[in-house]
Amino acid sequence: MSTVAAIAVVMLALLHVYILVLEMFLWTTPRARASFGTSEAFALETKAMAANQGLYNGFLAAGLLWGAFASDPVGFRVTVFFAVCVAVAGVFGAVTASRKILFVQTVPAAVVLALVLLAH
């Protein structure tokens, strides 16, 4: 994997670590509520659900980091798999929750996937 592609993969992973922190630990704070467009009451009612979502974002980040640092062919395959997972999750989120997710999650994943494929 090229250096540019590897850096892009790590950046995508860090985005998902940030989402993990927002969903697992900061869900009821004004910052997270503003990011996700939720009210204080909704955030309090859905805190456990959000933590679960955060955990899944952590798994995506872990897979992307594994792929970025594993040697090929494993690194390439793992990176492609997790980048596709991020893109699919983003499309689903955009359709079911907010169109904003398409630009926050799917577009970066598609860019990373393109860079990884071009570097291979």
Side-chain angles (χ1 to χ4, degrees):
M1 185 176 338
S2 75
T3 302
V4 171
I7 290 170
V9 172
V10 170
M11 297 287 287
L12 185 61
L14 291 176
L15 171 64
H16 284 276
V17 169
Y18 177 68
I19 296 170
L20 172 148
V21 170
L22 283 175
E23 292 176 340
M24 291 189 81
F25 305 111
L26 303 176
W27 185 249
T28 58
T29 66
R31 179 183 190 118
R33 291 194 331 263
S35 293
F36 293 100
T38 59
S39 67
E40 185 175 2
F42 180 83
L44 289 170
E45 291 174 18
T46 59
K47 189 174 180 177
M49 180 199 67
N52 189 20
Q53 288 177 185
L55 184 62
Y56 285 99
N57 278 290
F59 292 142
L60 292 172
L64 289 165
L65 290 171
W66 172 25
F69 294 104
S71 58
D72 287 335
V74 172
F76 171 75
R77 291 174 183 160
V78 168
T79 301
V80 168
F81 174 79
F82 279 97
V84 169
C85 287
V86 169
V88 170
V91 169
F92 184 78
V95 169
T96 61
S98 169
R99 289 180 114 188
K100 178 181 166 184
I101 297 170
L102 190 68
F103 302 102
V104 172
Q105 191 170 347
T106 306
V107 169
V111 169
V112 165
L113 186 58
L115 288 170
V116 169
L117 292 172
L118 288 170
H120 189 64

